Amino acid sequence: MSIRDLIPTSDAGPLDSLANNHIVRNFVGGLRLMLNDRTTAVYFWILVGITLLGVVGPMIAPYDIEQTQYDDETGEVLSAAPPSIDHPLGTTFAGYDVLSRLLVGARPTVITGILGGGLILTIGTTIGITAGYVGGRTETILMRFTDFAYGVPLIPFGIVMITFLGVGFLSSILVIGLILWRGGARVIRAQTLQIKQYPFVKVAKATGASRRRIIVKHILPNVAPMAIFFLALGVGYAIMLQASLTFLGVASPFTPSWGVMIRNAFNSGYMSEAWWWSLTPGLLIGITVLSTFMFGRGYEDLITADGESVEADTVAA
């Protein structure tokens, strides 16, 4: 059942227009194809679960993240206490509940992935499509700029930019987006060069379609599978790089992300003794990054194996 089937035929308003939108059809068709593949669907639902954890995590945390826990019998601070019934993931050196900090830390981690990945996708796709479709001097300038970005070392660039922008949660995400777009730009440019030679694009040019319409209606939907792949890569890279910057001390230590938890465990000197403190956030970061990579690769492979995107099928028909 398609979106159009769910909308009454008597209503030809905004919902009908949404159902007939080529980008919506392309997305729905790709999502349906993806969910039919078990492996890709598993990674997709893992990402959905982590996203939901970011939404409801702070609401279901059993303790406040700054609340020091005490032993009921002795009254002493539960400093680096091992997992127990009251504290399933143990406590930190300062006596904070690890499970609560893990649940609260899911939100900034998810926000980092979404904003960082979105920024990477936006910059990379814009430069790639513009360079590939417009061509000429514009392409030369944009691609030389991309080559320059490839020569910039990742972590040192992040440290220098943080120096100018200031240590903060959003500034670290901005730094991530300003450097990691380069890979997607090159690949999407190459795809755009191929797509603009397709017959339906040449027909659209011959009928007088504007450059903007051709890009939005024909180019963008057909590079969408590769763009989604780089979005997934961007989400994973953003989370990893933000955790790396936090560990180095050049990102905000006051935002309780999973990367901050690992840094705090390392700085306390109890990382080996209180293994539960850093193990759980490290595992969740690893699972999240792995799931984004595998989901992006699986989605791109499925769409490619299908022969062409849903939008291309529609145009050909």
Side-chain angles (χ1 to χ4, degrees), residues 70-154:
Y70 297 92
D71 188 287
D72 294 334
E73 298 180 357
T74 64
E76 297 180 351
V77 175
L78 291 175
S79 178
S84 62
I85 295 178
D86 294 332
H87 307 285
L89 297 180
T91 63
T92 68
F93 176 74
Y96 301 146
D97 182 64
V98 172
L99 176 60
S100 299
R101 298 184 72 84
L102 196 72
L103 293 173
V104 174
R107 179 171 294 177
T109 303
V110 170
I111 291 175
T112 296
I114 293 175
L115 293 183
L119 191 57
I120 292 168
L121 174 68
T122 301
I123 298 175
T125 302
T126 301
I127 291 179
I129 291 179
T130 303
Y133 186 78
V134 176
R137 183 175 298 178
T138 300
E139 179 183 16
T140 301
I141 294 174
L142 290 176
M143 286 300 98
R144 295 300 75 77
F145 180 66
T146 303
D147 293 338
F148 171 77
Y150 261 102
V152 177
L154 193 58

Side-chain angles (χ1 to χ4, degrees), residues 41-301:
V42 167
Y43 292 117
F44 171 77
W45 290 117
I46 290 176
L47 293 176
V48 170
I50 292 174
T51 303
L52 290 177
L53 188 65
V55 174
V56 305
M59 306 176 190
I60 62 177
Y63 305 97
D64 186 271
I65 60 172
E66 300 294 338
Q67 179 183 349
T68 302
Q69 306 299 314
Y70 297 92
D71 188 287
D72 294 334
E73 298 180 357
T74 64
E76 297 180 351
V77 175
L78 291 175
S79 178
S84 62
I85 295 178
D86 294 332
H87 307 285
L89 297 180
T91 63
T92 68
F93 176 74
Y96 301 146
D97 182 64
V98 172
L99 176 60
S100 299
R101 298 184 72 84
L102 196 72
L103 293 173
V104 174
R107 179 171 294 177
T109 303
V110 170
I111 291 175
T112 296
I114 293 175
L115 293 183
L119 191 57
I120 292 168
L121 174 68
T122 301
I123 298 175
T125 302
T126 301
I127 291 179
I129 291 179
T130 303
Y133 186 78
V134 176
R137 183 175 298 178
T138 300
E139 179 183 16
T140 301
I141 294 174
L142 290 176
M143 286 300 98
R144 295 300 75 77
F145 180 66
T146 303
D147 293 338
F148 171 77
Y150 261 102
V152 177
L154 193 58
I155 297 297
F157 172 81
I159 295 174
V160 172
M161 289 300 296
I162 289 293
T163 303
F164 289 101
L165 298 175
V167 175
F169 177 64
L170 293 179
S171 61
S172 63
I173 296 177
L174 180 61
V175 168
I176 291 168
L178 289 176
I179 193 63
L180 289 181
W181 56 268
R182 51 198 182 182
R186 274 188 171 179
V187 176
I188 290 176
R189 166 187 168 269
Q191 279 208 327
T192 303
L193 289 173
Q194 293 179 342
I195 294 170
K196 77 175 186 179
Q197 301 300 325
Y198 289 172
F200 57 83
V201 175
K202 293 183 177 181
V203 169
K205 286 182 180 180
T207 56
S210 65
R211 179 181 295 173
R212 179 180 177 182
R213 177 174 176 81
I214 293 174
I215 290 177
V216 172
K217 185 173 177 60
H218 300 299
I219 303 296
L220 189 58
N222 283 283
V223 301
M226 185 59 68
I228 291 176
F229 170 64
F230 278 102
L231 171 63
L233 288 181
V235 170
Y237 278 130
I239 293 174
M240 283 198 305
L241 184 55
Q242 200 273 344
S244 301
L245 293 174
T246 301
F247 190 79
L248 293 174
V250 293
S252 175
F254 304 107
T255 303
S257 65
W258 294 338
V260 169
M261 292 182 66
I262 298 176
R263 178 197 174 190
N264 291 342
F266 178 80
N267 290 341
S268 70
Y270 280 77
M271 194 167 186
S272 57
E273 292 83 353
W275 50 267
W276 52 87
W277 186 357
S278 59
L279 178 63
T280 46
L283 283 176
L284 283 176
I285 289 176
I287 291 173
T288 304
V289 173
L290 176 65
S291 298
T292 57
F293 286 176
M294 297 305 295
F295 166 74
R297 174 55 69 185
Y299 183 87
E300 194 270 336
D301 287 345

Side-chain angles (χ1 to χ4, degrees), residues 22 25-30 221 303 306 308-315:
H22 53 279
R25 293 200 308 270
N26 193 31
F27 174 78
V28 173
I303 296 298
D306 192 49
E308 53 187 2
S309 67
V310 176
E311 168 61 15
D313 289 337
T314 305
V315 174

